[in-house]
Amino acid sequence: MNAPATADTARDSGFDLLAELPPAVRGQVVPILDFGSQYVQLIARRVREQGVYSVLVPPDVSVDVLKEAGCVGVILSGGPSSVYDEGAPKPDARLFDLGVPVLGICYGMQAGCELLGAEVKPAQSREYGRVNLKVDDGSDLFRGVPGSTTAWMSHGDQVNTLPREEFTALATTPTCPFAAVKHHKVPFYGVQFHPEVTHTPHGQDLLANFLFDVCKAKGQWTMADFMMSEIDAIRARVGEKHVILGLSGGVDSSVLAALLNKAIGKQLTCIFVDNGLLRKGERELVEHTFRGHFDLDLRVIDASKDFLGDLSGIVDPQEKRTRIGHRFIEVFKRTADDIAKEHGDVEFLAQGTLYPDVIESGHGYAGTAANIKLHHNVGGLPEQLGFELIEPLRNLFKDEVRKLGEVLGLPEAMVWRHPFPGPGLAVRVLGEVTPDQLALLREADEILLDEIVSANLYRKTAQVFAVLLPVKAVGVMGDGRTHEQVVAIRAVESQDFMTADWARIPFDVLATISNRIINEVRGVNRVCYDISSKPPATIEWE
Ligand code: XMP
């Protein structure tokens, strides 16, 4: 992806890849040089899906570091820079001394080709979105891929000329003569398109060909390996110290609680904060699950009055998040101080941060991803609390976390729970959050989920919830005119919550939901169905 570079991506090459690697994967890892693409973790996840361990590394990581770690191949990610820009991130010039196959994707292809003598220029015709790809060489990288297929592009630059005697063009598009290339002397492949996105239908085949045909990777890595290596890493880091974890009852913190419980047992204390913004019966469910099924030290803190007090009169969504975040820190700190008095050595705070949280908060090696939404569980907390942070799920996507939950033996109902945002119902009561509005939303949400479960749609949808709109509509009930609120139903399908489509819930199910909400929830006379995708909308309404 080419757009003006926005950040200095240079990092010192003292990065310690070995420290990041589970010992079992040495010699079998495929590191990804992170040039700042929004989709860089998606590449890592696609590689892991094939049973090959992958991890992000700084773009200028030294070849010595890669050598020491024992890579079976290397991938160069896309990124927003232009290789000819001053200060554009570049791989170590000795990259090809490594002697293992390298696959460059988009910017990564341009960076690799440039290193091998090619010229990169602004493309005469930029390509964004779906393109027709003509495959001229159906061997190794494109084995099994049809001669004519589609691919997803997003580039303003492209390789303009390259040393013909050293490179072969493997695929072309109507405007891109080097849509995929192979070098003859060093094991370098480049693709201008993005094989990691689902819009490139044979992208996964191409990655598999690279990993297994070209790199000869063994493909034996599993989520159970991830669990064991994380347990080892957590134990090594924590030692005899104590860890606290904010347990929300959602998938991420629940999986993290189970992982930490397995790793360090009684050295973990979980704090569940009842912020008054929970769904109906949620607190009881969490208490029941974690006290009943796990031998966990769980503290339940009722701070609902404080949170609701902070939100009084506030309508701005980011301000809501900020206030909730601050109060959460205050309550958490207070509770953590109490726990520290008991244990004396609380040094670590565990957080169930996932990769989409990290990327949407503008973190990452190249630091170029836009700050789309202020996720209150990323940043801020550890600095203010003075704890060291443990975030074992930081590189995973939601569906990978679910897999980990299954490996950890969590009950299905917990593993497959739809996500629930940290700020809770505060971002689903649009406008001012009051106890009355929360009560109304809770009733509507309960009916909605009840019907979704009954219609056997819960597992088929990624997230379903009700939103209470701060407007009143006219209706008629019996012989009387009503002037009451509107509930919106949001139901989405999504793999990773970075993109989502609205779920095609059958009309008769929607009809039942609408009838029940309007009949059973006093104060609501209209139900709407949200048919927006993400992007351009987001999943939550605030
Ligand atoms: P959006 O609305 O950004 O949501 O498309 C993507 C996913 O993130 C959840 N979400 C949040 N989670 N704190 C959280 O912990 C937040 O502030 C927050 N905002 C959105 C959302 O429910 C969806 O699963």
Side-chain angles (χ1 to χ4, degrees), residues 26 85 123 163 206 335 368 450 509:
R26 279 185 203 153
D85 281 345
L206 187 142
T335 313
T368 46
D450 191 33
V509 178

Side-chain angles (χ1 to χ4, degrees), residues 321 360 373-377 419-423 428 463 497 534 538-540:
R321 275 194 173 74
E360 291 206 350
K373 218 179 242 187
L374 202 62
H375 281 234
H376 86 260
N377 54 345
F420 186 63
R428 294 180 180 172
Q463 213 169 352
F497 298 86
K534 170 186 180 178
T538 50
I539 294 174
E540 301 290 343

Side-chain angles (χ1 to χ4, degrees), residues 380-441:
L381 202 55
E383 290 99 89
Q384 296 193 40
L385 289 176
F387 289 121
E388 273 194 52
L389 204 55
I390 297 187
E391 293 178 305
L393 314 180
R394 200 178 166 81
N395 289 326
L396 302 185
F397 284 87
K398 191 69 132 200
D399 51 341
E400 293 182 303
V401 172
R402 290 207 163 103
K403 262 189 214 147
L404 177 61
E406 283 176 342
V407 172
L408 281 159
L410 277 172
E412 188 184 326
M414 189 61 88
V415 168
W416 287 99
R417 260 192 122 186
H418 289 175
F420 186 63
L425 298 183
V427 290
R428 294 180 180 172
V429 168
L430 306 198
E432 190 182 355
V433 183
T434 64
D436 289 349
Q437 293 283 279
L438 286 166
L440 216 103
L441 179 59

Side-chain angles (χ1 to χ4, degrees), residues 70-86:
C71 311
V72 71
V74 173
I75 294 179
L76 315 180
S77 87
S81 310
S82 288
V83 293
Y84 47 78
D85 281 345
E86 203 180 323

